[in-house]
Amino acid sequence: MSVAAALYPVAALVVSAADKTPKDEDVKAGGWGALVLALLIVAVVVLAFSFVKQLRKAQAAKDAGVYGDDPVDGGADSAAADEPENHSAS
């Protein structure tokens, strides 16, 4: 008789004693899990709105010349005015 064959019943007994897996009928979705999921979704939405607000503030500061850039006076129209017009026929 080998050592593995002798230890197999002992190993099976240890695994069955340590295995605390619940049965399928004992497991159900809980209210706490749904609440945590809802709170995480709300947190992501709040963070997204805050991020967009910060990006708008940073763009306004950049347009005002706070970061050492040239101030932008007219928004998108002034960027198009800086480029020469192309009057060639296509």
Side-chain angles (χ1 to χ4, degrees):
M1 179 182 249
S2 70
V3 175
L7 291 180
Y8 181 74
V10 175
L13 181 64
V14 169
V15 169
S16 66
D19 190 15
K20 303 289 186 203
T21 305
K23 304 229 183 289
D24 287 341
E25 61 269 2
D26 295 337
V27 178
K28 59 183 177 179
W32 286 110
L35 179 67
V36 168
L37 180 65
L39 290 175
L40 287 172
I41 290 171
V42 169
V44 167
V45 169
V46 169
L47 286 173
F49 276 111
S50 176
F51 182 63
V52 168
K53 181 180 175 183
Q54 293 299 323
L55 285 176
R56 287 183 182 152
K57 285 172 54 177
Q59 185 64 43
K62 180 182 177 199
D63 291 344
V66 172
Y67 303 126
D69 297 332
D70 293 331
V72 177
D73 294 330
D77 295 335
S78 66
D82 292 340
E83 298 176 9
E85 293 183 22
N86 186 0
H87 293 290
S88 64
S90 303

